[in-house]
Amino acid sequence: MKLSLKKSFTLLIFPIVALIAILCIAVFPSIRNIWSDWGVIVFFLIVSAICIGSLIFFYRKTIRPVLKLKTATSKIGDGDLDAGLNISSENEHGELAQSFNRMTKTLKISRDELESVVRKRTLELTITNEKLLQEISERKRAEEQLQYDAFHDSLTGLPNRALFMDRLAHLLILSKRRLNHPFAVLFLDVDRFKIINDSLGHTVGDQLLIAIGQRLLSSLKPGDTVARFGGDEFAILLEDISDLNNILNVAERIQMEICKPFNMNNFEIFTTASIGLAMNSTDYENPEQILRDADIAMYQAKAKGKSCAVVFEKGMHTMAVELLKLETDLRKAVERNEFVVYYQPVVSSIANCVIGYEALVRWKHPERGLLYPGDFIHIAEETGLIVFIDRFVLREACSQMSKWQRQFPQSALKFISVNISNKQFLQPDLVEYVTGVINETNIDKKSLKIEITENVIIENPEALIEIFSQLRNIGIQLYIDDFGTGYSSLSYLHRLPIDGIKIDRSFIQRIGNKGENHEIIKTIMLLAQDMNVDVIAEGIETENQLASIKTLKCDYWQGFLFFKPVDSEHAEALIKTAPNTNKPADYNLHSQQKKSIISDIASDV
Ligand code: C2E
Ligand code: CA
Ligand code: CA
């Protein structure tokens, strides 16, 4: 039976009534007299027992649950959700305890759920955090890589131009603050690298550049900087140098290292380096100026025949500025068509008359007048403008020759020779272009000779055999120019489909007054006979040279002794002087006319 709270409070009536009865007995002796003393004691004991029982009952039903509730609540308050409330369900507090227990159970479930959610979230957060940390470190790595890439050459791993310039600028500032802080810049260019790259392929070329970078590093002190500027250009920053000799020693050491053979893909590659040196001086305001001077000196080293080191001197700068101006002018000349073709007669040794012309380019410079190839051809080759010039000369010479062929069908003029540079020769559309010019100008193709210098063959023998054959198939003739200067391999020479060679004028000019020193020419003649090709001796300037050449069976002669190169007008005049018969005229017979023509053009040549 459940005892409600209200009922439990009514229980308190028993002790109160008993108390009142005891008090009555005590206060009113008449009542006490009714019972014997034992009766009073018994009554008193019964009443006391009822009182105590009621109080215990009251305590158990009312006070104890409240105390338990209080303890449990405070435990829960302290976070101990396992603290249940153990109160009999037969009590009004029992219901409270049950709902309390339910509540704590719900709370516990919620807490567990909350804990699992928190655990899950914590795990997620930990993972996210780890990912974030990973991302941050990856980004940092990427940034570092970017930073590294921005300042290093991807092929060799060496510092690049940007880093080099930065260090150079820093050193310059340092040296301005502390006067005794000398340093030098070396500009290095690998000689003939293009040939290696073109012939052995870019992979070998790349490997060679890496190997060169390593050799440079190994020949320097740890504090020095080696940078690759791209292509085959390297720059070196030497610190703590005592004097110029010190730098020259380093340059020599570098050259010795680079001279040693490189073993690459079963190829043994030999190369050299041209080095320009510039020492720090108070004149330098910025790092670009030092580098520019080292670069200028390097160009001088190239011009000196490569494989050497040149120290920058002040005069070189003026020269470089002039060179730059020439380059700019040359570009303009191409746009403005400032080139003209001159023709140098070639004399037949058999017919003794002018039998052909060699077309030679001239530049009508607006300020400097008529310029010769020696003044600009090297820049034209370096800048690639030579391709344009050669094409212009070829077209012009062919159209001129075609005109002459139609105008003077009876003349002894049989051919026109045109020079083709290395660059032009390696143009993939060369054969197509030549064919186009022949068709457009309507020149008799048998009368066109193309001259290629011997060096082209040395640099690219295999590729050339194919191009030579194609050109020859068109019907034109091929001559090797400046023969004897390039040390071309005899094995290749025999395989090349050529029609003739031109003995370099240096051999002709070595012939002495008594006809001595013509052994080399003799050997070349024998070789030509063996190869069954024609020979032109060029650069004949004296009667002695001619007399000596006459003893050898040379097909054609060319040189100032006969004619200097003349413009088309004078060349035409010369054709007109020859008799209009199939029998060619002796050039000597026309010496009178020749003299008048020559004196006419003397100022031009
Ligand atoms: P090259 O092909 O060997 O041409 C002959 C050069 O020798 C010409 O010089 C000519 O004037 C010169 N010469 C001829 N006979 C004598 C002589 O008896 N004594 C002396 N001292 N010189 C003589 P030029 O016209 O100054 O041409 C120089 C070089 O420039 C040419 O040498 C040729 O390699 C190159 N060149 C000229 N025109 C062209 C062109 O249209 N294209 C290309 N790629 N190169 C050209
Ligand atoms: Ca020539
Ligand atoms: Ca020549």
Side-chain angles (χ1 to χ4, degrees):
M1 188 189 88
K2 279 189 186 168
L3 194 70
S4 71
L5 198 61
K6 222 181 202 158
K7 279 178 190 165
S8 72
F9 268 102
T10 53
L11 277 173
L12 284 176
I13 292 169
F14 290 107
I16 291 164
V17 169
L19 209 66
I20 293 166
I22 290 167
L23 279 173
C24 286
I25 293 166
V27 173
F28 306 108
S30 53
I31 299 173
R32 213 167 41 207
N33 290 337
I34 298 174
W35 292 310
S36 62
D37 285 347
W38 278 108
V40 173
I41 290 165
V42 169
F43 175 76
F44 188 76
L45 284 173
I46 291 168
V47 170
S48 300
I50 292 168
C51 279
I52 290 164
S54 302
L55 281 172
I56 289 169
F57 197 76
F58 180 74
Y59 169 76
R60 288 191 56 200
K61 293 291 176 186
T62 311
I63 296 173
R64 200 169 68 172
V66 172
L67 286 175
K68 276 187 179 177
L69 187 65
K70 205 178 159 212
T71 317
T73 327
S74 85
K75 276 188 178 174
I76 288 166
D78 288 346
D80 180 10
L81 286 184
D82 293 323
L85 197 54
N86 189 14
I87 298 173
S88 157
S89 57
E90 292 162 4
N91 187 318
E92 202 173 71
H93 293 293
E95 277 176 19
L96 182 70
Q98 272 176 5
S99 55
F100 181 86
N101 283 343
R102 267 200 309 278
M103 195 182 78
T104 51
K105 203 172 159 192
T106 319
L107 263 175
K108 215 170 144 188
I109 292 167
S110 307
R111 184 197 64 183
D112 290 349
E113 279 175 359
L114 191 70
E115 267 179 10
S116 102
V117 169
V118 168
R119 261 198 306 275
K120 213 172 129 197
R121 291 295 297 156
T122 313
L123 191 72
E124 279 173 12
L125 272 174
T126 316
I127 293 169
T128 317
N129 198 31
E130 271 170 15
K131 271 190 193 161
L132 209 68
L133 281 174
Q134 205 176 335
E135 255 174 47
I136 289 171
S137 71
E138 265 169 24
R139 190 168 300 173
K140 227 170 137 191
R141 248 200 320 273
E143 269 172 21
E144 280 169 5
Q145 187 64 43
L146 269 177
Q147 177 98 343
Y148 183 87
D149 290 349
F151 290 106
H152 289 82
D153 168 47
S154 57
L155 179 69
T156 56
L158 293 172
N160 62 10
R161 180 187 280 266
L163 183 54
F164 186 88
M165 294 311 274
D166 189 60
R167 289 190 187 167
L168 187 56
H170 181 72
L171 266 185
L172 197 65
I173 295 168
L174 211 69
S175 75
K176 283 207 186 297
R177 260 190 246 146
R178 283 188 273 144
L179 276 178
N180 197 14
H181 195 89
F183 64 89
V185 171
L186 271 68
F187 203 104
L188 182 147
D189 190 285
V190 182
D191 298 329
R192 298 170 59 249
F193 178 74
K194 198 181 171 315
I195 301 165
I196 297 166
N197 218 19
D198 289 348
S199 52
L200 299 180
H202 288 236
T203 316
V204 175
D206 284 354
Q207 284 173 6
L208 180 66
L209 289 173
I210 296 170
I212 288 175
Q214 279 160 2
R215 287 205 188 165
L216 288 178
L217 278 176
S218 69
S219 40
L220 297 170
K221 281 193 298 192
D224 299 330
T225 305
V226 180
R228 180 176 169 237
F229 277 18
D232 57 349
E233 286 180 348
F234 293 85
I236 296 158
L237 191 52
L238 296 181
E239 292 186 55
D240 288 334
I241 36 137
S242 49
D243 55 19
L244 188 60
N245 272 343
N246 196 200
I247 310 170
L248 286 171
N249 284 343
V250 177
E252 200 182 311
R253 207 163 57 227
I254 289 173
Q255 269 168 332
M256 300 263 282
E257 273 301 311
I258 295 193
C259 273
K260 292 179 192 162
F262 290 88
N263 289 308
M264 241 131 246
N265 280 12
N266 298 329
F267 285 108
E268 200 169 45
I269 302 172
F270 289 89
T271 188
T272 50
S274 299
I275 303 176
L277 310 161
M279 263 189 99
N280 178 34
S281 81
T282 46
D283 296 347
Y284 291 123
E285 291 298 327
N286 56 51
E288 285 78 18
Q289 291 171 340
I290 313 180
L291 193 71
R292 176 203 62 200
D293 288 353
D295 193 13
I296 291 172
M298 189 278 288
Y299 267 88
Q300 289 295 314
K302 288 260 178 208
K304 267 181 134 184
K306 303 177 181 172
S307 184
C308 62
V310 169
V311 183
F312 175 78
E313 286 163 20
K314 281 210 171 109
M316 288 179 188
H317 186 225
T318 330
M319 263 169 60
V321 172
E322 277 168 13
L323 221 68
L324 190 72
K325 179 162 175 5
L326 197 70
E327 187 185 322
T328 319
D329 286 354
L330 196 65
R331 288 185 194 280
K332 284 187 198 152
V334 167
E335 283 164 26
R336 297 178 193 155
N337 269 326
E338 289 172 358
F339 300 101
V340 283
V341 180
Y342 268 47
Y343 300 89
Q344 185 177 28
V346 178
V347 173
S348 159
S349 64
I350 303 162
N352 227 359
C353 70
V354 174
I355 193 159
Y357 279 121
E358 176 175 8
L360 296 160
V361 71
R362 300 289 181 264
W363 174 10
K364 279 195 170 159
H365 193 283
E367 294 148 29
R368 297 170 58 192
L370 198 70
L371 296 186
Y372 289 80
D375 297 327
F376 61 89
I377 273 286
H378 58 291
I379 300 179
E381 274 170 354
E382 251 173 52
T383 52
L385 292 172
I386 191 71
V387 175
F388 169 87
I389 296 174
D390 278 359
R391 291 192 173 193
F392 162 78
V393 174
L394 179 75
R395 189 173 286 274
E396 185 65 22
C398 286
S399 90
Q400 184 61 75
M401 183 66 181
S402 162
K403 215 174 102 200
W404 285 332
Q405 279 170 343
R406 273 178 277 120
Q407 240 178 316
F408 311 105
Q410 304 298 329
S411 94
L413 194 67
K414 291 285 174 285
F415 64 82
I416 184 113
S417 295
V418 178
N419 293 286
I420 294 252
S421 69
N422 300 10
K423 277 233 166 75
Q424 177 75 274
F425 209 78
L426 295 171
Q427 295 299 307
D429 65 339
L430 175 74
V431 179
E432 212 178 306
Y433 186 80
V434 175
T435 316
V437 170
I438 291 172
N439 293 338
E440 280 165 41
T441 58
N442 214 11
I443 184 183
D444 174 8
K445 47 191 164 208
K446 288 196 295 296
S447 60
L448 176 63
K449 293 188 203 279
I450 282 187
E451 295 184 9
I452 303 116
T453 86
E454 197 186 351
N455 291 327
V456 189
I457 308 160
I458 306 162
E459 289 169 5
N460 242 331
E462 287 296 346
L464 287 194
I465 294 174
E466 176 60 26
I467 308 173
F468 269 61
S469 311
Q470 288 178 18
L471 282 172
R472 247 180 133 217
N473 287 344
I474 306 175
I476 61 176
Q477 296 183 44
L478 290 170
Y479 272 61
I480 297 179
D481 205 354
D482 308 330
F483 193 84
T485 54
Y487 309 101
S488 50
S489 150
L490 288 180
S491 59
Y492 280 117
L493 217 52
H494 275 279
R495 284 170 60 200
L496 276 177
I498 52 164
D499 300 278
I501 53 174
K502 282 185 95 167
I503 305 174
D504 190 68
R505 69 168 189 264
S506 58
F507 299 111
I508 312 291
Q509 279 162 9
R510 257 181 252 163
I511 299 173
N513 285 345
K514 292 181 186 130
E516 64 270 25
N517 294 338
H518 76 200
E519 285 72 22
I520 296 181
I521 306 175
K522 248 187 187 164
T523 317
I524 295 175
M525 291 301 305
L526 286 173
L527 187 73
Q529 265 171 22
D530 185 45
M531 286 164 67
N532 197 22
V533 295
D534 292 343
V535 181
I536 301 182
E538 70 174 338
I540 305 173
E541 286 182 352
T542 65
E543 291 292 348
N544 280 335
Q545 288 165 359
L546 180 63
S548 180
I549 292 292
K550 272 184 175 170
T551 63
L552 309 163
K553 282 189 181 147
C554 192
D555 306 273
Y556 307 104
W557 303 322
Q558 187 182 346
F560 290 173
L561 177 68
F562 310 101
F563 298 96
K564 285 189 171 178
V566 293
D567 63 16
S568 58
E569 220 178 289
H570 288 96
E572 191 170 310
L574 200 64
I575 301 167
K576 281 182 197 159
T577 61
N580 282 341
T581 63
N582 280 332
K583 189 176 178 297
D586 187 326
Y587 79 97
N588 281 323
L589 287 180
H590 299 276
S591 55
Q592 209 47 49
Q593 289 102 316
K594 186 187 98 178
K595 278 202 181 99
S596 73
I597 291 164
I598 296 300
S599 63
D600 224 20
I601 57 171
S603 53
D604 291 344
V605 293

